[in-house]
Amino acid sequence: MDRKKSALYFKCLINLNENGYMTAMMMIISTLLLGFVFHLWNVTQNERVFLDREEEEIKKQTLLVLSMKDTISYIQKTGGSSAERTFTYNEGTVRAVINSSSDVLQITLSGTTDNGIRVAASFQYNQMMKRVVEWSEGST
């Protein structure tokens, strides 16, 4: 039975080839295959771009969190006077400006990642409670 199916199948192909349809079918199949390969390539490129952006965002967040922790540590060591301090990390460099008006300190962080992307944040630190009261990111 298998032999009859394959013989019939090849008979159909021979008829298609004799009538000139085989070339058109192969061109359609090739075009579909090339379209599928191009689609896969495009998806891969978009995935790479997305992962690069995601990695950059993680670097920015890491840089801001590290500088916030180091700034708080610096405040606790020095007693919280107005100052300006620069912190350098593998991810980039951040400058912290500390403004003291009362128990709540206003700290502004600004810097750049190792790729040259600017980051900025500001937060308020309560010295009595020893915690961050307010945090905001963006241009300062």
Side-chain angles (χ1 to χ4, degrees):
M1 190 139 196
D2 246 357
R3 192 172 194 111
K4 286 183 182 179
K5 280 186 182 178
S6 64
L8 179 63
Y9 178 73
F10 285 121
K11 271 188 180 178
C12 290
L13 288 180
I14 290 172
N15 287 339
L16 286 175
N17 197 22
E18 288 175 358
N19 293 333
Y21 293 117
M22 195 61 165
T23 303
M25 283 180 58
M26 289 309 293
M27 289 176 68
I28 289 171
I29 291 170
S30 298
T31 303
L32 289 174
L33 182 64
L34 284 173
F36 181 69
V37 168
F38 177 72
H39 171 71
L40 289 178
W41 176 79
N42 194 16
V43 167
T44 303
Q45 291 299 318
N46 288 338
E47 185 84 13
R48 283 185 184 157
V49 168
F50 173 76
L51 289 175
D52 288 343
R53 286 182 186 161
E54 198 65 27
E55 182 182 353
E56 192 62 40
E57 285 299 315
I58 290 171
K59 278 185 181 181
K60 286 168 48 175
Q61 289 297 322
T62 303
L63 190 61
L64 289 175
V65 169
L66 285 173
S67 61
M68 179 189 69
K69 287 183 177 185
D70 286 345
T71 303
I72 290 171
S73 174
Y74 174 75
I75 289 169
Q76 289 172 348
K77 287 179 186 174
T78 62
S81 59
S82 295
E84 187 173 318
R85 180 103 176 155
T86 302
F87 301 102
T88 304
Y89 307 99
N90 292 337
E91 291 83 7
T93 304
V94 177
R95 194 183 100 210
V97 178
I98 304 166
N99 295 319
S100 133
S101 59
S102 61
D103 289 340
V104 179
L105 302 176
Q106 177 69 34
I107 296 119
T108 304
L109 304 173
S110 61
T112 57
T113 64
D114 55 354
N115 294 340
I117 307 293
R118 293 183 46 84
V119 294
S122 64
F123 67 96
Q124 293 179 353
Y125 179 74
N126 190 323
Q127 287 184 303
M128 299 301 280
M129 295 189 317
K130 295 192 184 297
R131 59 178 257 171
V132 174
V133 179
E134 183 181 331
W135 172 269
S136 65
E137 292 182 31
S139 60
T140 54

